[in-house]
Amino acid sequence: MGDLSLFTPEAIVLIGAFVLFAQLIFGAGRPLLWWTSMLFSVAGLVASIMFLGARGEPFFEGIYIVDGFSQLLKAAILLGLTLTLLANRQSGSVLAHARDDLPFFLFLGSAGLMMLVSATELTTIYVSLELSAYSLYIMAALHQRQREGSEAAIKYVLAGSAASAVSLYGITLIYGTARTTYLAGIMANSALYSEPLFLVGVVFLFAGFLFKL
């Protein structure tokens, strides 16, 4: 195991999501939910800026890498989260009874994106991308125009599921030829670039991955 402190920005966002979830269960009011979300969002942003110069691996080697570029992207994601929370304090585009739920899903989606930019192993990348995507599926259904929002969410789920299946099939082809899911190991094996199945796997992986993005 590496230095777990490098995971601080992501941990703050995940803890914020759990706190918001607990507040929703116990019926907290909208002002408290909004201030809680702002507190954790700004705290995560500050933490990501503090770790801009850090470099290392908080978990097992080759799975998750923290460096200046990934921290810069995390800071941008958290800045976007903070601005979105500010813009949606009195949002009229979300169903009135669902406005309390919105910050929770925004936090989960942001956590998935933050983990995605540091992931250096295929299954970690996939799980991070799915965490962000499922939050978006739900948020699409929260639109004030419920009929259009529900239709959009269903279409998004169906198309997203197809993209996930394509990506997973690509990962199985890559693993079958490379015998590893670590990006470093795959990139180091130049013989793979002439393998037809490997190239098909890469195409399938990126087809689903880019659709999700």
Side-chain angles (χ1 to χ4, degrees):
M1 294 292 287
D3 185 2
L4 289 175
S5 66
L6 296 173
F7 195 69
T8 300
E10 295 93 318
I12 290 173
V13 174
L14 287 171
I15 292 171
F18 282 117
V19 171
L20 287 168
F21 184 68
Q23 289 180 335
L24 286 170
I25 290 176
F26 290 105
R30 189 170 302 166
L32 177 59
L33 288 165
W34 188 83
W35 281 109
T36 301
S37 62
M38 286 298 300
L39 173 64
F40 279 98
S41 177
V42 172
L45 177 59
V46 171
S48 63
I49 294 172
M50 289 175 59
F51 281 90
L52 277 177
R55 181 175 179 84
E57 300 182 55
F59 305 116
F60 302 105
E61 185 178 355
I63 290 179
Y64 200 88
I65 293 178
V66 171
D67 55 18
F69 182 64
S70 68
Q71 294 306 104
L72 184 62
L73 290 176
K74 290 171 192 175
I77 291 167
L78 287 169
L79 177 61
L81 173 62
T82 304
L83 294 175
T84 303
L85 290 169
L86 286 170
N88 282 277
R89 185 176 186 183
Q90 300 294 336
S91 176
S93 63
V94 178
L95 288 167
H97 66 270
R99 290 175 190 170
D100 294 347
D101 303 326
L102 185 63
F104 170 68
F105 293 113
L106 284 171
F107 267 71
L108 283 184
S110 299
L113 291 175
M114 290 173 70
M115 290 189 287
L116 180 64
V117 300
S118 281
T120 52
E121 189 264 340
L122 291 178
T123 53
T124 309
I125 291 172
Y126 178 79
V127 170
S128 301
L129 191 60
E130 289 301 297
L131 178 60
S132 63
Y134 277 99
S135 300
L136 293 176
Y137 299 159
I138 296 170
M139 284 190 284
L142 301 184
H143 198 278
Q144 188 178 35
R145 297 169 70 177
Q146 191 166 7
R147 181 177 178 182
E148 288 82 353
S150 299
E151 180 182 353
I154 292 171
K155 289 179 177 177
Y156 200 178
V157 168
L158 293 176
S161 299
S164 297
V166 170
S167 291
L168 278 177
Y169 186 60
I171 290 174
T172 60
L173 292 178
I174 292 171
Y175 177 74
T177 52
R179 299 302 184 196
T180 181
T181 57
Y182 290 84
L183 296 185
I186 294 170
M187 297 297 291
N189 190 353
S190 58
L192 291 172
Y193 306 150
S194 59
E195 289 280 347
L197 277 180
F198 174 78
L199 297 177
V200 171
V202 171
V203 170
F204 274 57
L205 173 63
F206 275 96
F209 182 79
L210 295 175
F211 175 85
K212 292 275 191 178
L213 291 182

